[in-house]
Amino acid sequence: MLIKNFSAFEPVLTDINFGCFLDTSILFACSNPLDIFNEKAEEISKILYKNKIQTFSNINVKLEFLDLQRRTLIPECICDFLEEIEEFDSKELETQLKLIKGKFKAYVNKDRQYKMQPNHIKDLRNVFNKNGPKEWDLFCHTYLKGKIGKAWDEAIELLNLKNLDTKESEPGLYLNSVPVWEDAIQIVENFGLAPSDAMILNIFKNSKIEILITADREMAETADAYLPSNKIIYLVE
């Protein structure tokens, strides 16, 4: 069952026994004030806390979350780097960094979250390393180290998040059956969903958890088509 109306969200929580699975989009929105879904995600987290609903994620959500943090934190680190450096040996590097800073500031001025594309990060790494094979590593160690892991730890604490593990210490506690990779492949082939999202739906389907919350329309519509009718999907819009 797909729910889009926020007013219909809280009433369904009265029938929740095991908990709620949070997609990456919701975790990231809760952790980032500039995310377009931040306000609604924070309101949802308060409702879940008020109703004492246990929240869950899995390793796929964690990896997606960490990568999104990487893509948003690197531009912030570049701004910090530019504040401290006085002179560049490379005009190319200086130009690239100032362009990224300009994009970052433009997004912030519009109250939007800037995310660097993965290929852009790879290109930037190459530009850094033209000045020395370890220059990118030094930049990351100096400005990025500790920030991504901290963001995940804060999300766990904020949302009282539990990891849904296929090798859980108490078999049957949250899983009806162990997900198999072949089922995730079928989701990819039948709906064109990304493999990481397919694995999220696969473990949710095999779990006892009743509700999935996401801000990803593709995820929600695929879940509505694929999952049994007793599963509830709430799409944040």
Side-chain angles (χ1 to χ4, degrees):
M1 179 174 64
L2 180 61
I3 298 174
K4 297 181 182 179
N5 192 333
F6 188 80
S7 63
F9 171 63
E10 190 165 7
V12 305
L13 298 180
T14 57
D15 297 323
I16 300 300
N17 295 313
F18 288 96
C20 171
F21 195 101
L22 301 181
D23 182 34
T24 313
S25 55
I26 300 301
L27 265 66
F28 185 77
C30 280
S31 303
N32 291 269
L34 292 179
D35 188 271
I36 59 174
F37 298 111
N38 172 258
E39 188 175 333
K40 287 185 177 179
E42 286 191 342
E43 190 170 354
I44 286 169
S45 71
K46 291 175 183 176
I47 291 173
L48 293 173
Y49 179 80
K50 183 181 74 173
N51 286 273
K52 299 179 180 179
I53 303 296
Q54 178 62 57
T55 59
F56 294 87
S57 71
N58 75 334
I59 186 63
N60 302 91
V61 170
K62 180 177 181 179
L63 292 176
E64 289 180 350
F65 177 91
L66 295 177
D67 189 55
L68 286 173
Q69 291 293 346
R70 177 182 75 110
R71 292 171 55 197
T72 57
L73 285 169
I74 285 177
E76 292 183 23
C77 292
I78 287 170
C79 292
D80 295 338
F81 178 68
L82 288 172
E83 289 293 326
E84 296 182 8
I85 195 164
E86 297 180 356
E87 187 176 348
F88 282 88
D89 294 327
S90 166
K91 187 65 178 177
E92 181 184 11
L93 179 60
E94 180 181 8
T95 301
Q96 287 291 322
L97 294 181
K98 288 182 177 179
L99 283 172
I100 294 167
K101 179 181 178 180
K103 287 182 180 180
F104 174 79
K105 294 295 185 182
Y107 271 71
V108 170
N109 289 338
K110 295 178 182 178
D111 292 327
R112 293 171 61 197
Q113 186 86 58
Y114 176 58
K115 303 183 189 79
M116 284 185 71
Q117 294 301 315
N119 285 341
H120 192 182
I121 295 173
K122 290 180 180 179
D123 292 341
L124 182 64
R125 178 182 184 274
N126 292 334
V127 175
F128 259 98
N129 286 344
K130 286 180 180 180
N131 297 320
K134 297 293 184 181
E135 288 299 306
W136 174 255
D137 295 352
L138 179 60
F139 165 76
C140 292
H141 181 83
T142 305
Y143 294 95
L144 187 61
K145 185 178 180 181
K147 293 182 178 180
I148 294 177
K150 181 182 178 183
W152 176 250
D153 291 341
E154 288 175 347
I156 291 175
E157 183 175 356
L158 175 67
L159 296 162
N160 187 31
L161 204 60
K162 276 189 177 182
N163 180 52
L164 188 59
D165 190 351
T166 56
K167 298 178 180 178
E168 59 186 23
S169 57
E170 299 181 59
L173 184 60
Y174 298 116
L175 292 176
N176 290 314
S177 58
V178 177
V180 294
W181 173 240
E182 289 75 13
D183 289 343
I185 294 175
Q186 288 298 313
I187 298 173
V188 176
E189 292 180 344
N190 289 331
F191 301 99
L193 200 65
S196 60
D197 288 341
M199 291 180 73
I200 291 169
L201 285 189
N202 193 27
I203 194 170
F204 175 63
K205 179 185 178 182
N206 286 275
S207 75
K208 297 179 181 179
I209 300 166
E210 297 97 335
I211 184 167
L212 166 71
I213 304 179
T214 181
D216 184 336
R217 173 173 287 278
E218 182 186 22
M219 166 77 84
E221 291 178 348
T222 303
D224 190 42
Y226 173 72
L227 296 174
S229 59
N230 65 320
K231 294 287 190 177
I232 301 168
I233 309 100
Y234 176 57
L235 175 62
V236 178
E237 294 184 305

